[in-house]
Amino acid sequence: MNAVASGWTAIRGALLTFDGDPFVDDAQACRYEPDAIVAMAHGRIVDCGAADVVAARLPPDTPITRYRDALISAGFIDAHVHYPQLPVIGAGGKPLLEWLTSHTFPTEARYADIDYARDVALRYVDENLRHGITTAAVFGTVHPQSIDALFDECARRDMRMIGGKALMDRHAPADLLDTASRGYDESKALIARWHQRDRLAYAITPRFAATSTPEQLAAAAALWRETPGAYLQSHVAENRAEVEWIASLFPNDARYLDVYDRFGLLGKRAIYAHGIHLDDADFARLAETGTALAHCPTSNNFLGSGLFALHRARSAGRPVNVALGTDLGAGTSFSMLRTMQAASEVAHLQGRPLSPLCAWWLATQGAARALDLDDAIGTVAPGREADLVVIDLRSTPLIDFRMRDVERIDDALAVQMALGDDRAIRATYVHGRLAWDRDAQV
């Protein structure tokens, strides 16, 4: 069978992927091939490995795109982001609760307009692809049309995406409030319209415990139980003032996480952003229930929320599933390279260095594991969906200069994290299709 009949295409360059958890054993978990071919057909990876070996197995006339001085990786996964906040990226100078009131809520009110939502959703998805992000867990606003706009754009691109409309029935401006029953009904309608259509999945999305009444939290839990394959996403313990506020709103719960636990909102496919001000008992409960955390270092630094203790969350005795999140718009960059670097700096500040391999894993296979998608994405291996990013290892004059003295893959990753940005994304593949080609944009 020739390549046209088989539908095969291939790309060639260095390859980095993971077969295990580098927090346990980075030498065994990492798989690096300095010259590799990744073959794709019908949206999936069908072969990969050393170039000379794979080339001999390819159907005749398979087109191979060669990327020189480049690294092929699984596409990046952003485990926590607010696409409606793109218009307020960089609006700083305030801690979390004041930032929400001053910047976020006024902006989110604009998403009652479906045309406005479509415009921002288009820009958001374009930026994801330009930064090598092929999957994300996304918050909409309280307006159902914010998710219609996002999912419509992602379906058009055949992207794997998770998202849900925010649930808020208190402590927010009147034009951003729903009710427990309306939030349930609107989410149910969105689920019927989008969940498990193409590569999309719905996430029940109570913003955080302060903006949902007990009735709404109970309705969110019911909706999650009723929807096979659905996600649950929210925030926990981001800011000390927030933690104190939750304690005043839920005085019968010993700790913040207990609120979500009591309502049945912990478990597999639940992911909570931040978790900065959690203790070891909280981490143990997260690990026990399979609940994941999204570590959002650029946002935490920008708002002065605190330093997430990744080393405690990933403790060998009861490791919590952790992924990286940009948390735009309090986060300051789409770039997962910049996010990895920020995570590394936060770890250093606590005397617990984060290796480049571990950082990369948190944005690929580790994130896929946290989202219960590691059987589909996050790893470059036959049978996995062909969501890939190609990193230009010499994307700027300074990086080119610095890479002259680099011999090891972990050192190369460190340079890319410290100095790289969107210019380093040479190409992004979504479900086997070239979705972003940096050089074609020139």
Side-chain angles (χ1 to χ4, degrees), residues 271-283:
I271 185 160
Y272 284 85
H274 306 295
I276 299 169
H277 305 289
L278 297 177
D279 61 21
D280 287 337
D282 293 318
F283 289 135

Side-chain angles (χ1 to χ4, degrees), residues 162-180:
I162 300 161
K165 93 166 204 90
L167 299 171
M168 297 196 296
D169 64 348
R170 64 173 175 173
H171 298 142
D175 55 355
L176 288 177
L177 294 178
D178 53 18
T179 65

Side-chain angles (χ1 to χ4, degrees), residues 353-366:
L354 176 66
S355 77
L357 287 169
C358 286
W360 207 274
W361 183 81
L362 289 171
T364 54
Q365 190 189 60

Side-chain angles (χ1 to χ4, degrees), residues 153-171:
E153 191 61 38
C154 292
R156 188 172 69 82
R157 316 280 188 114
D158 197 22
M159 290 181 72
R160 180 171 284 284
M161 195 62 59
I162 300 161
K165 93 166 204 90
L167 299 171
M168 297 196 296
D169 64 348
R170 64 173 175 173
H171 298 142

Side-chain angles (χ1 to χ4, degrees), residues 26 65 96 120 176 179 230 245 273 316 321 415 432:
D26 60 1
T65 301
L96 171 65
V120 181
L176 288 177
T179 65
W245 190 19
N321 286 326
V415 171

